[in-house]
Structures are given as C-alpha cells and as structure tokens.
Amino acid sequence: MVASIEAAKGGLKALLLEKNDRPGKKILVSGGGQCNISNAGSIDHFLRSYHEKEKFVGKSIRKYSPDLLKKWFEDIDVSLEARDDLKIFPKTGRASGIVNALLKQIEQNKVEMQLRSSVQHIKKEHNQFLVRTGTQHFLGRNLIIATGGKSYPALGTSGDGYRLASALGHSLTELRPALAAIEVRSHCLMELAGVSFKKAIVEHWRNEKKTGTYKGDLLITHDGLSGPVILNHSRYFEEGDILKLNLLSIQTDIYERKLLESTSKAGKKTVKNIVAEDDLPNRLIERIFLMAGISMQQKCAELTKEQRKKLVQLLTSFPLTISAVKGFDEAMVTAGGVSTNEVNGNTMESKLVSGLYFVGEVLDVDGITGGFNLQFSFSSGMAAAKAIKKSSQ
Ligand SMILES: Cc1cc2nc3c(=O)[nH]c(=O)nc-3n(C[C@H](O)[C@H](O)[C@H](O)COP(=O)(O)OP(=O)(O)OC[C@H]3O[C@@H](n4cnc5c(N)ncnc54)[C@H](O)[C@@H]3O)c2cc1C
C-alpha cells in the first residue's frame, strides 16, 4: 500500500492488486489490534533485531527510518507514540486508524485498486510485465511483489509470492514459521497456564550441547510456552530440543549459595517461606516442591542437601522438551523467503530481472517482536517506490 501511494505521489500510474476484499487485513490484527508499527530503540538495536540480515535491512531502514515513518504517518493525520517499552503504536491504540488512513491516501493519490484480484502468473515480455489474475491481465513496466509471507493464510498470505518469484527465476531460502509459540512434551507446568515471568533466562540445548541463551519475558500456556523470549527465538527451535528455564533470572551457583545461607540461618522457618521471598507464584512453588520431594510445611533445618540441589535445579534450570513449534497457521511471520543475495537492498530491485522489486515479508527477512516487521515493510516499500520513480525520469 505504501509503495503504491509513494509511486502515485511521484507522478506514476500505480495499480494495486489485492487478493482480499480489502487490503491491510494483517495490519488490522497486528499488535493485538493496536498495530505496533515501529520501535523507538537506537538504530543499532533496531538493525540487530533482524537476526543475520542487519546489513541488507540497514540499507533501506537507515534511509526510510522510524523517524521518517513517524513523520510520514503524521502527515496523513495518524499520530504515533512510543510506549515505555519503546514500541511505537498509533496514539488511538487502533490499527484500523492506520489502514483507514492508507486507504484514504490510495484514493486521494488515485492509485487504481483492484480487490479480489489474486495474481496467478507473471511473465516479462518485451520490457513489460504481463500479470494475470484468474479473469484479467495487466501490463506494467515495473512490478513490486509485496505479497507477504505464508503465515496466517486465512488473511490472504498463503505464500503466493514465493511461487511467483520462483517462476521469475529467483531462489528461495527455506521457509519456517517464526514468532511462534511452542508445545512441550509432558507439560508439567500446564496448571500454571497464564503465569508469566519477567526477564526469564532460557537455555537452548540440542544433542546435549547448549546452542543459545536468551533473556526475556516468558509466558506459560496450556500446551507449552510463549512470550517474547520464546517467540523471538522460535525460528531456531526444533522438535526434540530442550529448553532449560531459569525462572529466577539468577545464576545457578549464586542462587545455590544464597539458598544455603538463608536456609541455614532460618532453621525454624519453612523452606516455602524462604523461596517465596523471590516473588514466585504460589502455584509454581507447590508444583516445584512436589517435584523436589519437599513438603510445603518442611522446616529449613530439615532440608537435605539432595532436596536443596533439586530445588535449585528446578528453579534455575527447569528442563522442558519441545514437542512442536507452532506452524504457519499461528506463527506471526515467515522466516526465509526470496533470497536477499538476488535483491539490491538500496532499491529492492531484483538483480536478475530489471524492473522487478520485492518488499516486506516475501523477502528472506524476519524481525523480532516490537514493530520491526512492519517498519521493514514500510522502509522497503518506500525504497522500491523511490527507485521506480528515479528510473522512470
Ligand atoms: C497476528 C499478527 C500480529 C502481528 N503483529 C505485528 C506487530 O505488532 N508489529 C509488526 O511489526 N509486525 C507484526 N506482525 C507481522 C506483520 O504484520 C507482517 O510482517 C507485515 O504485515 C508484512 O507486511 P507485507 O506488506 O510484507 O505483507 P502483508 O501485510 O502480509 O500483505 C500482503 C498482502 O498481499 C496480498 N496477497 C497475497 N498474495 C496475493 C496474490 N497472489 N495476489 C494479490 N494479492 C496477494 C495479501 O492478501 C495481503 O493483503 C504481525 C503478524 C501477525 C500474523
């Protein structure tokens, strides 16, 4: 939408083909219906949020930055604000405000919009693209593929762009669900569904080797785990991997010493009273005590070394085995896509087919939660529209 508006503002004739009965359905559900459109973090933090794609993404985002996005939307009467966690949302807290403002711009700038037009085939002939939907065909000198990924297919994003890109000679990297919750085997924390932990530390293990340590908020769900620390790293998870949860965010040896010290001093107090000082939910303490073979009434003086060690292990290294990473139906974005090696990051133009551009999630770019995915869609859309305008002068 942004690319078509910018192209039309630049004096070009722009046609927007949309499969659905209205564009922007994914924006409407983004950020829980509030649309977390960007992030006010430093540019370095910003670029690190795209995993190994920092360099490619940096080319468009440095130029069409979060500040520029903010101004662009303010100019079309959408005020944005950064919240305490630096996430940027419309001040109204409503994603519909963003979509309505874009639709108004489409109309005002005379972008021709064809709804319920699912692009099936694209061919380049005599310096023109021939684009076919089920019933119509269109010709254009430049073409932007902005079909999104393949997550949430019910919203229109069923991965068509990958097929279209392949047919035009582009390579695809492996497609995987990202920003996805996980399911775990024998979910012994299931009764804690809904409980969240601030800044939990999660160790990721595969074949008895630690492959990563991640920190962030964690949510227990009815069938597994979610929350930013899980969503942001789900692209690295596989069935059978083990996650060790440190629910206290304190190093194991430090907590062990602390617990030893406080239980030795407080002989008559219950162990439960000591553990509860760390502000843990009662349900969690009950569950962990059961697993460690400690009764809720047990006095500190009665705590055996084995029980103490087990308690420390469960609180700082609780192991859960991943049984599944949620699939494309529930993942928020797609990792993988059109290879960025074949696309110019400054202009978004294909290095293989002149006049062909790729923007947004259809590319092999995925960001963590926090407004990074929508910002990249905006920045890459702007870059493509400006490049087309320049090449048409
Ligand atoms: C539940 C949810 C919440 C999210 N929340 C956030 C958030 O708060 N912040 C954030 O930054 N990101 C968020 N995301 C991710 C973000 O919405 C996407 O990364 C972003 O919308 C991608 O933009 P895009 O322009 O590349 O594609 P999309 O927004 O997916 O748009 C692609 C469009 O192309 C159309 N299309 C597809 N195939 C065809 C075809 N063959 N012919 C014609 N039209 C076609 C689709 O119908 C769709 O309208 C969220 C995603 C989900 C699912």
Side-chain angles (χ1 to χ4, degrees):
M1 282 195 273
V2 167
S4 67
I5 294 164
E6 274 304 307
K9 274 188 187 168
L12 301 171
K13 197 163 175 259
L15 166 70
L16 176 63
L17 295 173
E18 168 56 55
K19 186 186 205 175
N20 286 327
D21 54 1
R22 58 174 302 175
K25 283 197 171 175
K26 204 169 264 184
I27 299 176
L28 289 177
V29 301
S30 68
Q34 299 189 39
C35 187
N36 171 203
I37 196 164
S38 185
N39 194 287
S42 71
I43 189 75
D44 287 344
H45 166 68
F46 215 104
L47 299 182
R48 278 198 306 274
S49 305
Y50 298 93
H51 309 283
E52 67 288 352
K53 286 298 154 71
E54 183 169 345
K55 207 165 151 211
F56 178 81
V57 164
K59 292 179 182 160
S60 57
I61 289 191
R62 283 185 194 279
K63 196 152 181 206
Y64 304 104
S65 63
D67 284 345
L68 189 127
L69 175 147
K70 206 159 172 247
K71 175 153 190 329
W72 196 90
F73 276 97
E74 266 159 19
D75 288 347
I76 62 169
D77 298 327
V78 181
S79 300
L80 303 176
E81 67 179 1
R83 298 189 181 166
D84 291 347
D85 57 5
L86 301 180
K87 291 179 182 172
I88 296 178
F89 289 86
K91 267 191 186 152
T92 57
R94 282 203 291 271
S96 55
I98 300 268
V99 176
N100 291 341
L102 290 171
L103 285 172
K104 203 165 153 196
Q105 285 302 302
I106 284 175
E107 199 185 325
Q108 278 179 5
N109 289 289
K110 303 199 172 26
V111 173
E112 184 188 339
M113 184 165 62
Q114 296 264 351
L115 301 175
R116 299 180 197 85
S117 297
S118 177
V119 174
Q120 307 292 325
H121 299 284
I122 302 170
K123 212 158 105 183
K124 190 161 185 200
E125 282 182 342
H126 316 299
N127 274 338
Q128 293 227 335
F129 290 95
L130 172 64
V131 177
R132 287 186 189 281
T133 63
T135 51
Q136 288 177 285
H137 69 271
F138 305 90
L139 285 171
R141 270 207 308 277
N142 297 287
L143 179 79
I144 302 178
I145 297 189
T147 43
K150 62 179 280 187
S151 70
Y152 269 64
L155 297 179
T157 42
S158 47
D160 299 2
Y162 305 128
R163 184 178 46 78
L164 298 170
S166 276
L168 288 160
H170 273 269
S171 333
L172 303 178
T173 58
E174 187 200 346
L175 304 173
R176 303 178 315 282
L179 300 188
I182 57 163
E183 293 170 23
V184 298
R185 267 183 220 154
S186 45
H187 190 9
C188 42
L189 295 179
M190 195 195 308
E191 63 217 45
L192 294 165
V195 173
S196 58
F197 298 88
K198 288 259 167 238
K199 297 199 175 109
I201 299 170
V202 176
E203 282 184 4
H204 178 202
W205 290 72
R206 181 173 299 161
N207 301 330
E208 293 175 19
K209 280 204 188 97
K210 187 162 79 174
T211 58
T213 303
Y214 317 119
K215 195 167 182 175
D217 297 350
L218 174 85
L219 173 71
I220 313 269
T221 65
H222 70 285
D223 59 359
L225 301 171
S226 187
V229 70
I230 297 298
L231 298 175
N232 289 339
H233 301 98
S234 60
R235 70 203 292 285
Y236 303 119
F237 298 159
E238 280 176 15
E239 181 191 345
D241 289 355
I242 293 175
L243 298 183
K244 295 186 182 172
L245 313 182
N246 184 332
L247 303 170
L248 292 171
S249 322
I250 172 170
Q251 248 176 265
T252 304
D253 53 339
I254 299 179
Y255 183 66
E256 185 160 13
R257 254 181 279 135
K258 185 182 151 203
L259 189 67
L260 177 62
E261 213 172 279
S262 33
T263 48
S264 348
K265 275 190 206 150
K268 283 192 182 154
K269 267 194 183 173
T270 61
V271 183
K272 191 229 152 195
N273 275 345
I274 297 294
V275 172
E277 284 170 10
D278 280 302
D279 216 12
L280 289 169
N282 219 19
R283 278 186 290 161
L284 174 72
I285 299 179
E286 278 171 19
R287 161 51 67 181
I288 280 183
F289 271 41
L290 190 68
M291 293 172 81
I294 305 169
S295 87
M296 293 295 271
Q297 293 76 34
Q298 194 164 326
K299 302 268 186 299
C300 288
E302 298 157 3
L303 188 68
T304 67
K305 188 176 169 191
E306 288 66 37
Q307 284 175 324
R308 193 183 65 241
K309 288 217 169 283
K310 185 76 187 159
L311 184 59
V312 170
Q313 188 235 328
L314 289 170
L315 285 170
T316 62
S317 190
F318 194 103
L320 286 171
T321 305
I322 298 177
S323 58
V325 178
K326 297 275 187 190
F328 287 109
D329 282 354
E330 291 178 53
M332 283 189 222
V333 295
T334 306
V338 174
S339 169
T340 51
N341 294 334
E342 297 169 354
V343 175
N344 177 334
N346 290 304
T347 61
M348 298 298 142
E349 187 173 12
S350 158
K351 292 179 184 171
L352 311 181
V353 184
S354 68
L356 175 66
Y357 297 78
F358 295 97
V359 306
E361 205 183 308
V362 70
L363 282 160
D364 175 14
V365 170
D366 59 297
I368 61 172
T369 55
F372 303 100
N373 288 296
L374 284 169
Q375 172 72 52
F376 177 65
S377 297
F378 172 86
S379 304
S380 54
M382 289 290 284
K386 298 282 186 196
I388 293 174
K389 188 185 160 207
K390 203 167 165 202
S391 73
S392 309
Q393 278 166 351

